[in-house]
Amino acid sequence: MATVLTKPDALSLSGNMKKFILSTSALVSFILKKGTQTIIERTYEPATDGRVTIDLQDVVENELSFFFTDTQAIYTQPNLVADFTAVIDGVSYPFRVIRAGVAAFNNTPANFLTYNFLTWQPTRKKVTYYTPEFLTYYATVNCTVQLRAYFEGNETLEIKLADLTASNAYTIPLQYGIVAGKFNHRLPGAYDVWVQDPEGNRLTYIQRYQAEGMRSEHEAWILFENSLGGIDTFRAYGEQELNAEHTHNFLENDHILSEYRTE
């Protein structure tokens, strides 16, 4: 039977997931399951040093995905996280993976996920009334999302946005217009968002959004999935100019000219 030298952490980031390294002198039976579904079933032969190395990053990441929907309510990410089981020579090794990765990672996945939103945006960000803004967070423990809004006259109001259940990933819509609606459409100058545990201890850093007007007549918003598995918004402003170049391909058949594959 193979000896497992290294294996993925019980909770792993897909981009930083440890490889299975096995020590053996015989063929190794390897099965990978996602839930009850078998994804891989193979037999490995050890190298000359008596080891087998199995890298599952690409396979696992293909099984995980980010779900985006245009909603004003916090919603779960059912496919961003999944439970896997590796069965090696009949012995099971379960682990959970979230679709995320960090370069030069020197933390533990559980620690990183507890104290950070899944975003690379700056912790102080200027937004307009309509800018689509989202934060994604994986709850390692039961917790709540809190929001504090700042109004004129040094008035502050704090509300609970949602209760989060451990072992689930959530996306939190935080567009300025949505937040203003939670305060009877009063317009805050800024608002803070963070996650705290049931005892009121803050877990994440404070993400601040600062209100400002449009910076140009043609401001554009670009939403993209970042390398942490969340979604970020990029604001582009200034003058827009379209410089499209088209390539036309023609095919002649029996004196009939047809156009195809216009690029």
Side-chain angles (χ1 to χ4, degrees), residues 96-172:
R96 167 169 284 217
V97 184
I98 181 168
R99 184 181 173 86
V102 181
F105 190 59
N106 59 358
N107 203 338
T108 65
N111 233 25
F112 178 83
L113 294 169
T114 299
Y115 301 119
N116 292 277
F117 293 109
L118 299 178
T119 179
W120 292 122
Q121 67 187 16
T123 56
R124 299 175 68 91
K125 188 176 184 182
K126 294 182 178 180
V127 296
T128 69
Y129 189 91
Y130 297 104
T131 308
E133 294 291 339
F134 302 87
L135 283 177
T136 300
Y137 181 74
Y138 177 81
T140 56
V141 296
N142 292 337
C143 51
T144 62
V145 183
Q146 300 291 128
L147 185 145
R148 180 183 295 126
Y150 299 85
F151 299 93
E152 290 185 0
N154 294 324
E155 180 185 4
T156 62
L157 294 174
E158 183 176 324
I159 61 173
K160 179 174 71 173
L161 288 181
D163 292 305
L164 308 185
T165 304
S167 302
N168 288 289
Y170 298 84
T171 293
I172 311 160

Side-chain angles (χ1 to χ4, degrees), residues 2-4 42 60 95 100 117-118 122 135 146-147 157 163 166 170-171 173 183 185-186 195 204 210 223:
T3 300
V4 178
R42 295 177 183 169
V60 166
F95 57 99
F117 293 109
L118 299 178
L135 283 177
Q146 300 291 128
L147 185 145
L157 294 174
D163 292 305
Y170 298 84
T171 293
F183 297 97
H185 299 285
R186 295 179 62 192
V195 175
T204 66
Q210 183 77 41
L223 277 69

Side-chain angles (χ1 to χ4, degrees), residues 54 85 106 132 190:
I54 305 172
T85 303
N106 59 358

Side-chain angles (χ1 to χ4, degrees), residues 32-39 63-64 79 81-85:
L32 179 66
K33 295 183 178 182
K34 177 187 177 186
T36 58
Q37 175 191 4
T38 297
I39 301 173
E63 297 293 325
L64 303 173
N79 301 316
V81 184
D83 292 311
F84 296 87
T85 303

Side-chain angles (χ1 to χ4, degrees), residues 25-99:
S25 58
L27 295 177
V28 176
S29 167
F30 183 88
I31 299 172
L32 179 66
K33 295 183 178 182
K34 177 187 177 186
T36 58
Q37 175 191 4
T38 297
I39 301 173
I40 294 177
E41 188 168 1
R42 295 177 183 169
T43 299
Y44 291 91
E45 183 177 356
T48 54
D49 61 357
R51 294 192 174 187
V52 172
T53 301
I54 305 172
D55 187 351
L56 298 175
Q57 179 180 339
D58 291 342
V59 174
V60 166
E61 286 191 337
N62 285 336
E63 297 293 325
L64 303 173
S65 61
F66 180 88
F67 171 67
F68 177 75
T69 183
D70 187 11
T71 179
Q72 296 188 13
I74 294 178
Y75 61 96
T76 59
Q77 289 288 346
N79 301 316
L80 194 63
V81 184
D83 292 311
F84 296 87
T85 303
V87 184
I88 302 172
D89 288 341
V91 180
S92 296
Y93 299 89
F95 57 99
R96 167 169 284 217
V97 184
I98 181 168
R99 184 181 173 86

